[in-house]
Structure formats: C-alpha cells, structure tokens
Amino acid sequence: SPIPSPRRALAGVALATAIALGGDLFGVTQAVLSAAPEVARSVRADLVYPVAGFKRFMAADGSYELLYPKTWLADQATRLPKAGSVRSLDQGGTLIPRKVEAKRNGPQLDAAFGPPAGGRLENLSVLRTNLGQGVDLDALLGTPAEAAQRLLDSSIAPANSGKMATLNSAEKRADGVVQFDYTVRFAEGSPMAGRVIKNQACVAYNP
C-alpha cells in the first residue's frame, strides 16, 4: 500500500488530537487542563470540562459563579421556576405544566448540585433574592454572628422543627462575603433522628 505523505500524516494527527481534546476522549482534555488549573480557570474552561476535579457554574446573568465536584449533578428542578412553569401531577398521574406566579416573595432556590445518588446530607445550594440598589448589607444583617443566628433561628432550625442548630463560627471575609459554619442535630422522633450535619453558608450582596 502507498505510504502516506508527511503532510497527510500530520493532518491526521492534528485531526485526531482535536477530536480527542474536543470530545474529552479518555479524559485527555481534563488531564491537559488540570496540568495548569490556574490558566484553565482564568479562561473559564471549567465551564465545559472539569479542571482538577471541579466544574464551574455561572449564573445566567453573570452575577455569581461557583465550583462544584465534577461528579455532582445539577438539580434540573431549579430551571422550571425560571422558565415560568413547573410540572404537577393530575388525578391520572399525567405531568401537566402550570404557570408560576411571576412575583415571588423571599429568597428563591437559584441553583443546586449534589451527588448522582441524591440524598440530603451532602449538597450545594444557592438561594437568591432581590434586595434593590443602595442596600447597606451591614445595617441590614448586623454583625456576622447576628446574621447567622437570625438565619438559624428563623429558617434552619426554628422552634418545634425537630432540629437544633449551633453556630460554630461567623466572619466577614476580605471580599465582603459573610461566611459562617454551623452544626445541625436532629431530635428524637424526626426522620433523621440522631444525625449530626455540619454546614457552611455564605451571604453575598451584588449591588
């Protein structure tokens, strides 16, 4: 059989390389990008391919972004309210789309991620609300410890919820984000009785 020309051979190698990188064949793209994670993340390559074990999520309006483990999946249910509809079951068990009120009060789940197997013990969620412009977050929330305790008492473990929340630490980071760690214990008689879960939460304001 005829010997292929060097130019054709190089073209074939280039095409195979492009296919391997573009399709992440055998994890080639992940390996290449993970060799220089800072560079890969600076160009947002991790929006498409995992870099050093993590993928990036960016809000549709670019207001925030975050990293999550590459094996975790996005909760598709968070997309339905954004699209203006949810799916409900009728008496016959058929999924039927229905309108959601355009105006919602309070924080809404904007994004959520978790392991493929599901479960409530390990996940990442983003809640979002519109505070308007010119809001003084310090005046609104108080000190980090006050803000965290208020959230624990009103939402995380309110009275008669079967949960007890303990604030472990609270601080305001250099970037202005309020971060706090807390532990939730489930009381006897609740579905998760005896479980102890440690959580980390961040509160940020994008004017």
Side-chain angles (χ1 to χ4, degrees):
S1 61
I3 299 176
S5 67
R7 179 179 296 179
R8 182 174 296 178
L10 288 175
V13 171
L15 178 60
T17 301
I19 293 175
L21 290 174
D24 195 24
L25 188 62
F26 304 121
V28 172
T29 307
Q30 295 184 45
V32 171
L33 295 176
S34 297
E38 294 81 8
V39 175
R41 286 172 177 154
S42 69
V43 297
R44 301 295 191 271
D46 49 358
L47 284 169
V48 181
Y49 301 107
V51 174
F54 290 88
K55 288 194 70 177
R56 182 183 302 272
F57 169 81
M58 180 181 291
D61 60 1
S63 59
Y64 71 89
E65 54 188 70
L66 55 87
L67 299 179
Y68 62 94
K70 68 176 184 179
T71 57
W72 284 18
L73 302 176
D75 185 351
Q76 301 301 315
T78 61
R79 296 186 179 183
L80 296 175
K82 298 177 189 177
S85 64
V86 295
R87 302 182 72 84
S88 60
L89 289 172
D90 67 2
Q91 294 182 352
T94 304
L95 286 170
I96 300 176
R98 62 180 176 82
K99 295 288 185 178
V100 174
E101 294 180 3
K103 184 177 180 181
R104 304 181 188 85
N105 296 319
Q108 301 295 319
L109 186 63
D110 198 65
F113 304 87
R120 294 179 292 177
L121 299 182
E122 191 175 26
N123 61 74
L124 186 158
S125 301
V126 178
L127 283 82
R128 188 175 181 180
T129 190
N130 184 10
L131 298 177
Q133 296 183 344
V135 173
D136 185 339
L137 196 61
D138 291 333
L140 180 66
L141 297 179
T143 66
E146 290 172 342
Q149 193 61 56
R150 189 180 305 116
L151 179 63
L152 296 182
D153 294 341
S154 63
S155 301
I156 305 299
N160 302 318
S161 66
K163 295 181 291 184
M164 296 168 286
T166 303
L167 180 63
N168 301 320
S169 65
E171 64 175 350
K172 187 173 184 179
R173 302 186 328 206
D175 59 2
V177 173
V178 175
Q179 177 177 312
F180 55 95
D181 298 308
Y182 61 97
T183 301
V184 175
R185 293 175 172 81
F186 293 84
E188 293 297 330
S190 68
M192 298 179 66
R195 293 286 183 88
V196 178
I197 303 177
K198 186 173 183 181
N199 303 268
Q200 183 179 90
C202 295
V203 179
Y205 173 61
N206 185 17

